[in-house]
Amino acid sequence: MSKSIVLTGITTTGTPHLGNYAGAIRPAIAASKNDDVRPFYFLADYHALIKCHEPERVKQSSLEIAATWLALGLDTSNAVFYRQSDVPEILELTWMLTCVTAKGLMNRAHAYKAAVAENEEAGGKDPDKGITMGLFSYPILMAADILMFNANKVPVGKDQIQHIEMARDIASRFNHIYGEHFTLPEAVVEENAATLLGLDGRKMSKSYNNTIPLFENEKKFRKLINKIKTNSLEPGEPKDPEGCTLFGIYQAFARDSEVAEMRHRYAEGIGWGEMKKILFEKINEEIAPARERYQALLDAPEHIEEQLQEGAQKARAIATPFIQELREAVGISKITA
């Protein structure tokens, strides 16, 4: 029985934070140890160029993200862990797919429509002002990431479901024209995935500048926990855990019995200072060992590079013969044998 292929990309534009860890990284690390699947995890550095034109930031983010995954125990003997830009076949496939993708399909992409709507609301004459072809066509690059390895399942947030549907549409069109080459991928939406709130009570996101970096040093980490916004209820006054940023983060790290006990303590009126202390200790207990490994990896980037190159070799062992097959299918091949 062949293993199911599961693929996940991580865009290299920021420093991993608690929300990334609880919502995506931790479950993915666990999945990397599952012998029943073949997981592919990649640093989506070409995707980063769509919105980030700061070379040092992209480079530093690649280092930090790779170090994070390795420090947290990614099983690279089972998982294929690589940098998107180390597999040039992906970009070649992107062009092949671009040539069968209807512009109308790209017109319906959420990110493009949102950018156009923003321009129209601003009263500008050009609805496409400031919109690059990278933003417009990146669902095709995402399709190539997925189809290059014929991924069966792609774990995504609800906002990314459309892109998987587009990848299916593009794959179907290519298969219709050139024969069956691609598996149609399925979006896997983890309904129970933790979505953490940030320092200001909004969703934790680098866009809002409200994140708590996962491997911040212990002193700064404690300070950030203490900065989390709360209401003005005094110690002794009953508090509602629902919608509370502190409780939501605690829930993502604590056992069910501990969560039940904390609900009781909220009803009894636990003070915010005490809750922040408990939250810091709970998270720090889980991530402190990985924080040390993370720092050691940052101090030895050659080890990270070695891991990525090994992953690229595994990825290209699949991609190189497959792109040759696809070239033959579309008529790009040597005239003589």
Side-chain angles (χ1 to χ4, degrees):
M1 180 182 171
S2 60
K3 293 183 178 183
S4 176
I5 294 174
V6 180
L7 181 139
T8 302
I10 315 102
T11 308
T12 56
T13 52
T15 299
H17 55 71
L18 278 186
N20 299 144
Y21 173 67
I25 301 174
R26 185 170 56 186
I29 296 288
S32 78
K33 306 178 196 314
N34 184 346
D35 289 335
D36 294 331
V37 302
R38 187 158 199 218
F40 284 68
Y41 300 117
F42 67 96
L43 305 180
D45 47 358
Y46 276 126
H47 280 285
L49 303 185
I50 294 164
K51 290 185 177 179
C52 183
H53 299 157
E54 302 168 52
E56 285 306 315
R57 182 178 170 191
V58 173
K59 188 175 181 180
Q60 182 64 23
S61 178
S62 298
L63 172 66
E64 291 177 357
I65 290 171
T68 296
W69 284 66
L70 293 172
L72 289 166
L74 179 71
D75 184 356
T76 54
S77 64
N78 184 40
V80 181
F81 185 53
Y82 59 99
R83 188 168 33 214
Q84 182 187 37
S85 57
D86 284 334
V87 186
E89 292 83 359
I90 292 169
L91 290 191
E92 184 172 348
L93 176 57
T94 300
W95 181 249
M96 290 184 186
L97 299 179
T98 299
C99 293
V100 301
T101 300
K103 178 177 177 290
L105 182 64
M106 293 298 97
N107 287 344
R108 296 194 288 277
H110 295 324
Y112 172 65
K113 286 173 68 177
V116 168
E118 199 173 306
N119 283 334
E120 289 173 341
E121 284 168 18
K125 293 180 180 177
D126 180 7
D128 285 325
K129 182 182 178 182
I131 298 173
T132 65
M133 286 306 297
L135 175 70
F136 181 71
S137 59
Y138 87 90
I140 306 176
L141 175 57
M142 186 169 171
D145 291 323
I146 296 164
L147 301 177
M148 185 81 256
F149 302 103
N150 274 317
N152 306 102
K153 299 180 185 299
V154 185
V156 290
K158 290 178 182 176
D159 60 331
Q160 292 284 316
I161 292 174
Q162 185 197 43
H163 291 140
I164 310 306
E165 292 172 345
M166 286 180 163
R168 290 174 63 90
D169 287 345
I170 294 167
S172 295
R173 179 64 180 159
F174 190 98
N175 287 348
H176 175 72
I177 299 170
Y178 295 114
E180 294 294 318
H181 295 280
F182 297 124
T183 299
L184 302 191
E186 292 178 26
V188 178
V189 181
E190 181 51 72
E191 297 292 344
N192 299 321
T195 301
L196 305 190
L197 301 181
L199 298 174
D200 58 1
R202 292 183 292 176
K203 177 185 174 182
M204 192 178 293
S205 167
K206 53 182 176 283
S207 303
Y208 297 143
N209 197 30
N210 66 353
T211 65
I212 300 174
L214 182 60
F215 290 133
E216 194 64 85
N217 71 66
E218 200 165 300
K219 187 176 179 182
K220 183 89 179 285
F221 195 79
R222 187 191 294 271
K223 280 185 177 179
L224 286 169
I225 295 289
N226 286 334
K227 281 176 67 176
I228 293 174
K229 189 177 176 183
T230 56
N231 59 35
S232 57
L233 290 173
E234 297 289 335
E237 293 185 75
K239 296 169 179 65
D240 184 2
E242 304 309 322
C244 172
T245 302
L246 296 172
F247 186 84
I249 298 174
Y250 181 80
Q251 194 169 21
F253 287 85
R255 296 189 298 274
D256 289 346
S257 59
E258 292 172 322
V259 173
E261 170 62 21
M262 189 53 70
R263 285 186 185 280
H264 180 66
R265 296 199 63 185
Y266 263 63
E268 289 182 333
I270 187 172
W272 293 131
E274 184 181 357
M275 180 58 192
K276 287 177 178 179
K277 179 175 181 292
I278 292 169
L279 179 61
F280 164 75
E281 290 171 351
K282 171 56 66 179
I283 299 172
N284 198 53
E285 178 186 11
E286 181 168 327
I287 66 172
R291 185 191 288 128
E292 290 183 23
R293 291 193 294 271
Y294 174 77
Q295 194 55 55
L297 283 162
L298 289 185
D299 293 339
E302 64 279 359
H303 176 70
I304 298 174
E305 186 61 32
E306 185 182 309
Q307 292 287 310
L308 289 171
Q309 289 303 323
E310 283 183 16
Q313 285 179 9
K314 291 181 189 175
R316 295 200 70 194
I318 298 166
T320 302
F322 189 38
I323 203 73
Q324 191 57 47
E325 174 191 318
L326 296 173
R327 283 180 185 176
E328 295 280 349
V330 301
I332 296 175
S333 59
K334 291 180 181 177
I335 294 170
T336 57

